[in-house]
Amino acid sequence: MDRLSSAGTLKEIIHKYQFRFNKNLGQNFLIDTNVLDKIINHSEIGENTGVIEIGPGVGSLTQALAEKAGKVVAIELDTYLIPILTETLAGYENVVIIHDDALKVDMQRVISREFQGMDVKVVANLPYYITTPIIMDLLEKRLHISSITVMIQKEVAQRMQAKPGEKDYGALSIAVQYFTKPQIIATVSPNCFMPQPKVDSAVIRLDVLDKPIVQVEDEKKFFHVVKAAFGQRRKTLVNALSNAGLFRMSKQEIKDVLKELDIQENRRGETLSIMEFAALSAAID
Ligand code: SAM
């Protein structure tokens, strides 16, 4: 069958089904085959790969994934796209379509039911309005996924990959880098989509680490420290932590903790490495 990602084929499908794009569902369909090939090549899928795709749209990425992977499970929320997908993917026996909200699907169940013995990866052109909750949900549940290769808003990809001291470094950088090694693969301009989004996009690959990059005894406290440090960006670390209302220690006690850890109290949260956040969260109360 013709590649669904060509603008002409997509227009034909839209016309045939009288499909209307739903802005609220982040529907910006990829119409650039070079970008699609980049996603496929960088996601490194093979016969033993089970792929979870979130938001298949009319199935252009799904089709390319199905040609390489052992099996693809594509989760689509929009009811109007289900009959289209049923037709466009009819020739692919290794594709399972789930009509549901990806945020509500029990991914653990999908993995154990559909991908026994396979290397599981997530590959998607994500609906941007749920980028962070989807990715954090996949990571926090510690599912057996080896990598996540996704198209997301460029600015969010830059935040995920940012290092201490860089302007984009923040709580999201730490959350993502705690669980994965991120790498931006490509930046993608709005004219690669139909309809065009208002923002630039990027393809990012997150390689999931076997275990988090630092050992943290109390993860909840670790992320509280991160949240407090970045919650008041213009404040020094000692002020941000003591004003957060998340810890029992007095300002003086927090100062003492920082001194013990050799972290200057007038540093700002955005300069701290994940290791320093881990040490701080072990010592603060
Ligand atoms: N994969 C297609 C492509 O690359 O052309 C479409 C990508 S489009 C950016 C995002 C897709 O996610 C749309 O098909 C949209 O309907 C779907 N979607 C939006 N919210 C969703 C959700 N909560 N769960 C599953 N799919 C969702």
Side-chain angles (χ1 to χ4, degrees):
M1 120 150 355
D2 289 345
R3 289 192 83 175
L4 296 166
S5 54
S6 77
T9 317
L10 182 60
K11 275 187 189 149
E12 273 172 33
I13 294 172
I14 286 167
H15 182 72
K16 180 174 170 190
Y17 287 90
Q18 299 283 296
F19 177 75
R20 283 168 198 272
F21 291 101
N22 184 339
K23 255 195 200 162
N24 295 333
L25 291 181
Q27 290 180 342
N28 302 101
F29 294 172
L30 195 56
I31 49 163
D32 185 305
T33 37
N34 291 329
V35 175
L36 190 124
D37 288 343
K38 254 188 205 164
I39 298 176
I40 296 292
N41 293 337
H42 283 276
S43 54
E44 292 183 76
I45 46 183
E47 277 172 16
N48 192 40
T49 315
V51 178
I52 299 177
E53 186 195 5
I54 292 152
V58 301
S60 41
L61 180 59
T62 326
Q63 180 189 55
L65 290 167
E67 277 164 14
K68 290 236 162 166
K71 191 167 190 179
V72 181
V73 172
I75 306 167
E76 176 57 60
L77 177 60
D78 188 350
T79 311
Y80 295 106
L81 287 170
I82 303 302
I84 303 182
L85 285 165
T86 310
E87 184 183 323
T88 56
L89 299 170
Y92 297 91
E93 283 176 8
N94 58 344
V95 176
V96 175
I97 299 163
I98 298 179
H99 178 204
D100 206 342
D101 180 343
L103 282 169
K104 294 190 183 143
V105 170
D106 182 344
M107 298 289 185
Q108 185 54 61
R109 253 189 91 208
V110 170
I111 292 172
S112 48
R113 193 181 57 206
E114 306 286 352
F115 300 131
Q116 277 296 331
M118 299 178 100
D119 175 26
V120 182
K121 299 188 175 196
V122 173
V123 185
N125 172 15
L126 285 180
Y128 295 173
Y129 75 105
I130 48 166
T131 301
T132 310
I134 281 275
I135 292 180
M136 290 320 300
D137 196 51
L138 292 169
L139 297 175
E140 282 165 1
K141 289 202 172 116
R142 292 177 156 77
L143 303 169
H144 283 284
I145 289 173
S146 60
S147 67
I148 300 174
T149 305
V150 278
M151 175 91 73
I152 59 177
Q153 198 176 324
K154 181 175 152 196
E155 185 210 314
V156 179
Q158 285 169 333
R159 281 172 28 215
M160 288 183 175
Q161 197 186 244
K163 295 284 174 224
E166 293 178 1
K167 77 172 181 8
D168 295 318
Y169 186 62
L172 183 65
S173 326
I174 296 188
V176 167
Q177 291 169 35
Y178 178 72
F179 293 108
T180 76
K181 188 172 180 299
Q183 190 197 352
I184 293 178
I185 305 288
T187 53
V188 182
S189 77
N191 58 22
C192 295
F193 301 88
M194 187 194 289
Q196 296 191 10
K198 290 201 173 70
V199 292
D200 282 333
S201 303
V203 179
I204 191 166
R205 173 170 159 159
L206 308 172
D207 282 303
V208 181
L209 304 170
D210 289 337
K211 51 182 188 343
I213 194 155
V214 272
Q215 207 187 332
V216 167
E217 216 158 88
D218 183 344
E219 259 179 21
K220 203 168 155 199
K221 187 155 55 125
F222 171 73
F223 285 110
H224 271 159
V225 173
V226 172
K227 189 175 157 206
F230 288 105
Q232 300 175 299
R233 268 179 123 66
R234 273 177 291 273
K235 292 218 162 30
T236 60
L237 194 55
V238 69
N239 284 333
L241 292 172
S242 57
N243 291 345
L246 291 167
F247 311 106
R248 276 188 294 214
M249 284 181 163
S250 66
K251 187 167 177 178
Q252 187 52 50
E253 286 170 318
I254 294 176
K255 277 187 183 186
D256 294 342
V257 163
L258 291 171
K259 196 164 180 209
E260 238 169 70
L261 296 172
D262 227 5
I263 299 174
Q264 282 173 340
E265 62 175 76
N266 62 354
R267 275 176 68 184
R268 291 173 200 278
E270 57 260 39
T271 68
L272 256 65
S273 67
I274 296 192
M275 313 300 160
E276 287 176 312
F277 272 115
L280 186 52
S281 81
I284 204 167
D285 188 26

